[in-house]
Amino acid sequence: MSFPTPSVVTSLFHLNLDIISSILGLMPASTLLSLRGTCQAADVNVHSEFEHRYSRLLSPFVADQHRFREVLDAANTFISGSTAVAFFSGGNLRPHDLDLYAAKGDSARIISYLIGVEGYKLVRAGSPIGEALYRGGIHVVFRLVRMTDSASIDVIESNTASSYLPLLHFWCTVPMNILRGKSFTALYPSLLEDCRGLLNPIRTGNEEAQEDLDRLTKKYHAYGFDVRPFESSWAILPTGHARCAGRRSPNCPLTVRWVGDRFCLSADTGLVNNRTRPIEDPSLWPAQFELLTVQTIKPLTVVWWRGGATCGCGILPGPDELLPSRAWTQPLEHVE
């Protein structure tokens, strides 16, 4: 994506603040990141927009949003699902519940905070078997409900030491995003920006799964997303054949990916002075300041390939081979 020209940026920030806020509110996160690099005014306004999105999306669920975001990062927990989609996409999408993801054995801290500070009650804890939204990579799901207004939060605990693993079992690429207290990562940012999604082959193959996929596809279609089985279906050539982006492209079923790789979109939501403070010794960094590579890429990461039927990588017009889908946790140093 190209950067806005200086004249466009100057004109934009001469507008009324309400108009600026309305314009920024419609921009996807990737566009906001391009905009904020143009000048100090852009950086300040984009930071304000990110803070507004946090507030708008969290206010139905938590009273003390600032403290909640601090606990979120301290507990190595993140937000995903439709709430993260709404943060990345902008617009007026308002999810009805909040999904938090934690590593195996690490959910107690965020649950204790929600019960002790935010007034939630634990109403269920158990296996996700039988739940359409939560399948694969999950050890246990805790459901909490606030007694005053029935607001609902699910805390989903991974079955490995990486909280990322359940994301790769999501039904499609659209909700595969990580929203932390002060930073974010999108695993398929180009598709997300284009309001597109690819079905996850892990979740296809039987009638029960198809019913779930049909329902979820309709739900996200109402949000404005076009979800399909193959990326090539968006690039039909005049011959009627589908054009493939090629092997090693970010969305190819054969490409080996990991959380934090070069295909991800990762950023800190803070102001530039907080993002680039020059401290030589990482051990001296304050808790609230994390460089992107520190906050986004953990010692453990999740490696995956989408798998499923490929489109021939530019050689054949239709599916020609089948690769089993895989996702697993391993030390980051083994994939760099």
Side-chain angles (χ1 to χ4, degrees), residues 121-135:
K121 180 179 179 180
L122 181 63
V123 297
R124 188 174 64 183
S127 167
I129 294 175
E131 295 193 29
L133 295 177
Y134 305 133
R135 291 182 180 170

Side-chain angles (χ1 to χ4, degrees), residues 1-4 9 28-39 42 46 50 193 265:
M1 177 177 293
S2 60
F3 285 87
V9 174
S30 53
T31 303
L32 292 173
L33 293 180
S34 294
L35 178 62
R36 79 175 182 182
T38 58
C39 66
V46 168
F50 283 143
E193 182 179 2
L265 175 69

Side-chain angles (χ1 to χ4, degrees), residues 30-87:
S30 53
T31 303
L32 292 173
L33 293 180
S34 294
L35 178 62
R36 79 175 182 182
T38 58
C39 66
Q40 185 175 10
D43 184 58
V44 170
N45 279 275
V46 168
H47 170 67
S48 296
E49 172 58 25
F50 283 143
E51 291 298 304
H52 173 70
R53 292 188 186 189
Y54 274 119
S55 177
R56 178 174 63 87
L57 294 170
L58 293 180
S59 59
F61 304 101
V62 292
D64 191 341
Q65 297 160 35
H66 178 74
R67 187 176 177 188
F68 171 76
R69 289 166 59 186
E70 288 185 339
V71 174
L72 205 64
D73 285 346
N76 195 23
T77 305
F78 64 85
I79 301 166
S80 195
S82 55
T83 301
V85 172
F87 185 92

Side-chain angles (χ1 to χ4, degrees), residues 4-18:
T5 63
S7 60
V8 171
V9 174
T10 302
S11 300
L12 172 62
F13 294 113
H14 282 164
L15 296 173
N16 178 280
L17 288 177
D18 289 339

Side-chain angles (χ1 to χ4, degrees), residues 38-259:
T38 58
C39 66
Q40 185 175 10
D43 184 58
V44 170
N45 279 275
V46 168
H47 170 67
S48 296
E49 172 58 25
F50 283 143
E51 291 298 304
H52 173 70
R53 292 188 186 189
Y54 274 119
S55 177
R56 178 174 63 87
L57 294 170
L58 293 180
S59 59
F61 304 101
V62 292
D64 191 341
Q65 297 160 35
H66 178 74
R67 187 176 177 188
F68 171 76
R69 289 166 59 186
E70 288 185 339
V71 174
L72 205 64
D73 285 346
N76 195 23
T77 305
F78 64 85
I79 301 166
S80 195
S82 55
T83 301
V85 172
F87 185 92
F88 281 95
S89 302
N92 296 314
L93 174 60
R94 285 187 175 271
H96 299 297
D97 53 16
L98 186 64
D99 297 335
L100 309 180
Y101 288 79
K104 187 174 182 179
D106 282 354
S107 57
R109 184 167 185 178
I110 192 68
I111 291 175
S112 297
Y113 171 81
L114 292 171
I115 293 174
V117 177
E118 294 290 343
Y120 279 81
K121 180 179 179 180
L122 181 63
V123 297
R124 188 174 64 183
S127 167
I129 294 175
E131 295 193 29
L133 295 177
Y134 305 133
R135 291 182 180 170
I138 296 173
H139 173 61
V140 62
V141 176
F142 300 94
R143 177 152 296 172
L144 298 101
V145 174
R146 188 165 55 193
M147 296 298 100
T148 55
D149 58 3
S150 299
S152 174
I153 296 179
D154 284 356
V155 178
I156 299 100
E157 190 175 290
S158 172
N159 61 13
T160 75
S162 173
S163 53
Y164 300 144
L165 186 62
L167 270 66
L168 282 310
H169 293 266
F170 282 0
W171 70 283
C172 83
T173 60
V174 176
M176 292 182 183
N177 309 294
I178 298 163
L179 179 60
R180 307 178 190 85
K182 301 181 183 70
S183 63
F184 58 76
T185 298
L187 272 55
Y188 290 92
S190 297
L191 290 174
L192 190 62
E193 182 179 2
D194 292 337
C195 293
R196 293 174 173 176
L198 292 171
L199 289 174
N200 190 345
I202 291 178
R203 296 287 297 275
T204 61
N206 60 67
E207 288 188 14
E208 183 184 2
Q210 191 58 51
E211 287 184 13
D212 295 339
L213 292 178
D214 289 344
R215 178 178 56 80
L216 291 167
T217 300
K218 290 179 181 177
K219 172 184 174 180
Y220 275 83
H221 179 75
Y223 292 161
F225 288 91
D226 182 12
V227 181
R228 302 186 184 185
F230 306 108
E231 183 184 20
S232 57
S233 64
W234 287 298
I236 302 299
L237 300 173
T239 60
H241 291 175
R243 181 176 58 210
C244 176
R247 293 179 187 269
R248 299 186 180 88
S249 62
N251 311 321
C252 178
L254 307 178
T255 301
V256 178
R257 299 278 314 275
W258 60 90
V259 176

